[in-house]
Amino acid sequence: MAAPASPQLSPVGRFERFLLASDGSEYSDGAVREALRMASKCGARVRAVNVVAGGDAELYAMGEQLITKELNSARACLDDVHLLASSAGVAYESEATQGNQVYQEIVSQAEKMQADLIIMGRRGRHGLARLMVGPTTVRVIGHARCNVLVVPRLAKISGQHFVVASDGSRFGDTAAHTAARLAKLYDSQVTVVSVTRPEHSEERRHEARQIVNRLISFLKQEGVKVEGVVPHGRPDEMIVKTANEKNADLIIIGSRGRTGLERVLLGNTSERVIDQTQCAVLVVK
């Protein structure tokens, strides 16, 4: 059940400082490309980090030469990104580092620079057989205090169409604020979606329509071209279906926040949306 629709929308953060998490593999290509494109549009500065995984004992066992080789390779990849950033006129800095837990190092780096946005791929080169969202990405989303943009390898955010999902909570409100900011930057039309399940009451469906109408009103006031839908089904499936029907290149969805658990649960909907879609997903805190 969604929370009752509130009369006002919650505030939204800045888009001035981006942390780009790259492992130098093909799975980071989309994240690198879109981080620089968005930074150029927003006037943001980018700090890129490449984290070599492994605890101290593991690295000691690997040997000093292998450690040096891994870090040098990471620095070379970041230097390549620097060339792209310079060409795009984006302020850029980078660091190759080692961390016992990759996600912890990414989150720590984001907090140190007070990042507004973490940008990363859906999975990394160490994702092995798991073809969808990797555990590092899931954990970063769960533990980070800022927004996280997940970009599959071939995804491009061109501003063709954005989908913003809301359940009427303050997380959905913040997603709508973010959608307004990005829609104006990319000159994109937005579809607001609030999903009800087939077993929900008519009262709940009426509430979902109110949520959609409220966000449509807000986005129109912001000068955004917007429409809304209230589909019935499993939330993640309906959000992805709407994005596919609209040929959307970005889904914006609220997060329920973080927990202290090692395996962070995003509220199944967010993780399943990232798993299923081929477009970028912005998880808003």
Side-chain angles (χ1 to χ4, degrees), residues 21-97:
S22 171
D23 64 3
S25 74
E26 60 182 309
Y27 302 108
S28 295
D29 287 350
V32 170
R33 180 181 59 251
E34 298 312 311
L36 298 180
R37 288 182 63 190
M38 186 177 288
S40 179
K41 286 182 177 292
C42 297
R45 63 183 181 88
V46 175
R47 176 176 174 80
V49 60
N50 189 323
V51 183
V52 175
D56 294 339
E58 293 175 84
L59 287 176
Y60 180 79
M62 288 167 61
E64 185 177 351
Q65 287 186 337
L66 185 54
I67 298 169
T68 301
K69 180 180 179 181
E70 286 284 316
L71 287 172
N72 286 340
S73 177
R75 293 187 187 101
C77 291
L78 292 174
D79 287 342
D80 290 340
V81 178
H82 194 178
L83 294 176
L84 296 174
S86 297
S87 178
V90 173
Y92 176 87
E93 61 179 346
S94 65
E95 180 181 0
T97 186

Side-chain angles (χ1 to χ4, degrees), residues 92-189:
Y92 176 87
E93 61 179 346
S94 65
E95 180 181 0
T97 186
Q98 179 271 324
N100 185 27
Q101 293 288 343
V102 174
Y103 83 91
Q104 288 180 342
E105 183 61 26
I106 293 171
V107 171
S108 176
Q109 292 266 353
E111 292 187 355
K112 285 179 183 177
M113 69 173 290
Q114 296 183 315
D116 305 313
L117 181 67
I118 296 172
I119 304 173
M120 61 192 307
R122 179 160 55 181
R123 62 180 293 242
R125 60 175 176 164
H126 300 298
L128 300 178
R130 189 166 188 192
L131 299 179
M132 298 299 184
V133 56
T136 296
T137 301
V138 171
R139 289 168 178 161
V140 167
I141 295 172
H143 287 272
R145 296 179 181 177
C146 62
N147 298 341
V148 181
L149 177 64
V150 181
V151 187
R153 181 168 59 93
L154 300 178
K156 293 183 180 180
I157 306 174
S158 62
Q160 182 168 298
H161 203 107
F162 294 167
V163 169
V164 56
S166 176
D167 61 357
S169 68
R170 61 193 176 94
F171 303 102
D173 283 355
T174 309
H177 268 287
T178 303
R181 171 78 191 278
L182 294 179
K184 286 187 283 188
L185 282 170
Y186 284 86
D187 192 25
S188 175
Q189 184 173 340

